[in-house]
Amino acid sequence: MAEIFNERLLYPSYEIIGGEKFMSPAANLDHSGIISRLVTVFSNYFLEHKSGYVFSDDVDVHFSDGSLYKPDLCVILKSNEKILANRKAIYGAPDMVVEVLSHSTRRKDLTIKKDVYEAQGVREYWIIDPRAKIVSVYLLQDGKYFLDDEYILFDDADIEEAEWLKSKGEEVTIKNEIPVKIFDGLTIPLEFVFSWGY
């Protein structure tokens, strides 16, 4: 145990954002679980389709503006594998990035990081809020992000209310799956993203 602790002190995890170095705190279990489940989905997809790579937050992503990020999850398509730089690190824009909001990263994920991902050409950016159980999906179009959609995990009471509103003629849409826009045919159940011990 002491060896692991000492190794973490020798090689601390950090990001370079706007020229400034930030230490990266360890993720909590909810945060880590969300990323683990998403890695599983993408890994299985790539195992079947042989079309790309998925990496979690232990990988350095170097951008041309000098930023060094450790996204919670990034996806690189085979057509973009030149950025894998001999399997040492990622040098360039992943095709997709996922960040899970936490108290310490929320502001950077929603502003600075989002702006850099946009400027560097990350085609699809997911921001996951584990407390509100919302996934916000941004897509790049003409060099700018637009909010494609937000996916909210409703509880049973919300679903009952939605069904009641539908019965009264209201238009209510509940989206249970998130389509991954950089792929054809890959959707991820919203309940799976936010499940505990699934």
Side-chain angles (χ1 to χ4, degrees):
M1 185 66 116
E3 289 175 11
I4 294 171
F5 179 74
N6 290 334
E7 186 175 321
R8 187 147 174 90
L9 288 177
L10 289 172
Y11 307 105
S13 180
Y14 66 88
E15 296 181 303
I16 298 174
I17 302 171
E20 191 175 343
K21 188 183 282 189
F22 291 90
M23 302 307 288
S24 301
N28 67 33
L29 296 181
D30 280 330
H31 183 289
S32 182
I34 289 169
I35 295 305
S36 295
R37 287 187 292 278
L38 289 175
V39 166
T40 300
V41 170
F42 284 110
S43 295
N44 289 338
Y45 183 87
F46 291 142
L47 190 63
E48 182 180 346
H49 294 88
K50 312 282 191 243
S51 57
Y53 310 87
V54 60
F55 300 99
S56 60
D57 62 0
D58 55 351
V59 173
D60 290 341
V61 179
H62 299 267
F63 289 113
S64 61
D65 67 352
S67 299
L68 166 63
Y69 287 1
K70 291 180 180 291
D72 290 326
L73 182 143
C74 59
V75 172
I76 293 103
L77 299 180
K78 280 269 192 187
S79 58
N80 193 25
E81 67 184 347
K82 64 186 179 301
I83 70 171
L84 296 179
N86 300 317
R87 302 184 183 183
K88 303 286 185 195
I90 298 169
Y91 288 87
D95 295 282
M96 177 181 178
V97 165
V98 175
E99 295 285 7
V100 178
L101 299 180
S102 66
H103 179 71
S104 62
T105 66
R106 175 177 292 269
R107 199 171 56 126
K108 289 193 289 280
D109 291 341
L110 292 169
T111 56
I112 300 167
K113 283 187 172 184
K114 182 170 167 275
D115 291 346
V116 169
Y117 293 150
E118 177 184 73
Q120 294 293 317
V122 175
R123 294 165 49 201
E124 185 164 351
Y125 179 38
W126 288 16
I127 299 174
I128 300 178
D129 186 335
R131 283 189 300 174
K133 293 189 171 31
I134 296 174
V135 179
S136 302
V137 176
Y138 290 88
L139 299 178
L140 195 67
Q141 189 172 68
D142 299 324
K144 293 289 181 188
Y145 277 143
F146 71 94
L147 180 62
D148 182 59
D149 215 333
E150 286 191 318
Y151 300 85
I152 303 165
L153 182 64
F154 292 108
D155 61 21
D156 291 340
D158 293 326
I159 291 169
E160 280 181 28
E161 183 177 349
E163 293 301 327
W164 181 81
L165 288 170
K166 279 185 188 177
S167 72
K168 300 294 181 194
E170 298 271 341
E171 191 172 319
V172 179
T173 304
I174 295 176
K175 300 166 190 155
N176 297 317
E177 293 187 322
I178 313 165
V180 181
K181 296 299 178 83
I182 59 170
F183 302 119
D184 286 329
L186 176 60
T187 59
I188 301 175
L190 195 55
E191 189 173 8
F192 181 70
V193 173
F194 293 111
S195 62
W196 173 255
Y198 200 91

